[in-house]
Amino acid sequence: MGNSHIYTHEIVIITGMSGAGKTVAVQSFEDLGYYCIDNLPPALLTTFLALMKESERNITRIAAVMDMRGGEFFESLIDALDLLEKEAYVKTRVLFLDADNETLVRRYKETRRSHPLAPQGLPLEGIEKERAMLAELKGRAKFVYNTSHMKPRELRERIGNEFSNTNRPKFFINVMSFGYKNGIPIDADLVFDVRFLTNPYYVEELRPKTGLQEEVSSYVLASEETQMLITKLKDLFEFMIPQYIHEGKAQLVIAFGCTGGQHRSVTLAEYFGKLFSDHYKTAITHRDINRRKD
């Protein structure tokens, strides 16, 4: 217990009842910056950690899902945990996800999937068999979450509270500019059409430039319409972004579009990207800025 300061690696074993929320859990750990592995055979756990320790990628936080899909390999998980507890460099924690039988049966009926331990039988038969097999592992888990009455958002929030690194930003914003003539970006969460703003394209000396250059950005930002838009969007974002965070969203893509993706959209993306960076981890992407046709 007193040697926690010497740990250089951390691994979280995500396990528990089938249908209790392991998919949501591993996605949550991925959002927190863990290197995630789904369905890792327990027999390979110590080998994998040894490779990670020697890797040049500096992977130190790992989350691995281990469940009944591993078949006979799952029986070796207890032995693997015993070995890991003897290693001074790795901190091992087990997160066990549980739910009552009624909830698990209902979830299997909703998804129309068969239980891995009763592929031809009733879901309850497999659930009871699985619960008995996992009893010892549940007893060794430091974290046991009963998800019977837990929404996915609530599970993500609990994992975030328990396992997040407070030095790492929990929410990421990517602000993007694009040109409508090249299509709307498919990965955008919010799209704002700024084609109604005065277009620098029709100013001869500004046409060959982009919104990254001060002459263009000043021209766009100087208009009354642009300033009114900025004021209204600030108010909108101040309301919406905390709601997304509360809902458990890990990242947000905000896209500004103009005709060619050269002037107005670039200016607005730069403006809001710099504004967001004061509070969130932010990236700015200009999708079409190099697609100009002379």
Side-chain angles (χ1 to χ4, degrees):
M1 296 290 185
N3 294 329
S4 59
H5 64 281
I6 67 173
Y7 293 133
T8 59
H9 289 65
E10 173 194 357
I11 182 166
V12 178
I13 307 297
I14 305 168
T15 189
M17 298 296 294
S18 300
K22 291 189 288 293
T23 298
V24 173
V26 73
Q27 291 171 348
S28 302
F29 278 99
E30 189 171 26
D31 291 339
L32 292 174
Y34 283 74
Y35 183 92
C36 296
I37 314 161
D38 191 18
N39 197 23
L40 177 69
L44 300 180
L45 178 58
T46 53
T47 302
F48 176 80
L49 284 174
L51 292 173
M52 290 298 97
K53 185 180 180 183
E54 299 172 3
S55 171
E56 296 180 356
R57 294 180 59 187
N58 194 31
I59 299 173
T60 59
R61 305 175 79 208
I62 305 161
V65 177
M66 298 182 184
D67 56 26
M68 285 304 173
R69 290 173 296 169
E72 66 275 11
F73 294 110
F74 191 80
E75 298 176 4
S76 61
L77 178 53
I78 298 297
D79 294 335
L81 290 174
D82 289 337
L83 290 174
L84 288 177
E85 288 178 358
K86 299 175 183 178
E87 297 287 351
Y89 74 93
V90 61
K91 179 179 183 179
T92 306
R93 296 187 284 181
V94 177
L95 169 60
F96 190 99
L97 299 177
D98 200 359
D100 59 52
N101 288 359
E102 182 180 353
T103 298
L104 293 174
V105 169
R106 185 182 71 251
R107 290 174 181 173
Y108 270 102
K109 287 185 177 180
E110 289 173 351
T111 60
R112 299 184 179 181
R113 296 173 55 218
S114 60
H115 193 281
L117 295 182
Q120 306 300 326
L122 298 174
L124 183 58
E125 178 185 340
I127 290 168
E128 292 175 339
K129 185 183 300 184
E130 183 179 33
R131 195 176 296 283
M133 294 175 64
L134 296 179
E136 181 180 355
L137 183 58
K138 182 178 179 181
R140 294 186 58 157
K142 182 176 181 180
F143 302 93
V144 178
Y145 296 172
N146 189 313
T147 67
S148 299
H149 306 288
M150 194 179 293
K151 296 179 180 178
R153 173 180 60 81
E154 294 170 331
L155 177 56
R156 288 193 293 268
E157 286 180 354
R158 185 165 182 182
I159 290 173
N161 292 335
E162 296 274 15
F163 296 93
S164 66
N165 182 342
T166 55
N167 295 322
R168 182 181 183 273
K170 299 180 182 179
F171 190 73
F172 180 82
I173 299 178
N174 191 319
V175 187
M176 176 188 298
S177 70
F178 71 95
Y180 273 92
K181 68 180 183 180
N182 298 313
I184 298 176
I186 62 174
D187 51 352
D189 298 298
L190 300 174
V191 177
F192 296 95
D193 184 348
V194 299
R195 287 177 291 183
F196 66 91
L197 298 177
T198 303
N199 193 350
Y201 179 85
Y202 296 109
V203 180
E204 187 174 350
E205 62 269 25
L206 298 181
R207 183 179 303 172
K209 302 179 185 295
T210 73
L212 294 178
Q213 294 167 285
E214 196 275 335
E215 303 96 311
V216 173
S217 62
S218 294
Y219 179 89
V220 174
L221 294 173
S223 77
E224 182 179 348
E225 291 80 8
T226 300
Q227 289 304 313
M228 186 176 297
L229 174 64
I230 287 174
T231 299
K232 292 182 180 297
L233 286 180
K234 281 182 179 179
D235 185 55
L236 179 67
F237 291 142
E238 285 175 2
F239 168 74
M240 292 185 69
I241 291 176
Q243 305 305 316
Y244 283 123
I245 295 172
H246 178 71
E247 185 64 22
K249 193 173 181 65
Q251 62 178 330
L252 182 67
V253 180
I254 301 174
F256 292 93
C258 61
T259 304
Q262 306 290 319
H263 301 106
R264 295 165 291 180
S265 62
V266 172
T267 298
L268 270 295
E270 286 287 319
Y271 180 91
F272 279 100
K274 292 171 182 175
L275 182 69
F276 294 143
S277 66
D278 291 337
H279 304 283
Y280 308 102
K281 185 174 181 181
T282 306
I284 303 174
T285 305
H286 301 299
R287 192 192 70 178
D288 299 327
I289 200 168
N290 295 316
R291 299 180 69 169
R292 183 190 305 275
K293 292 183 179 179
D294 297 327

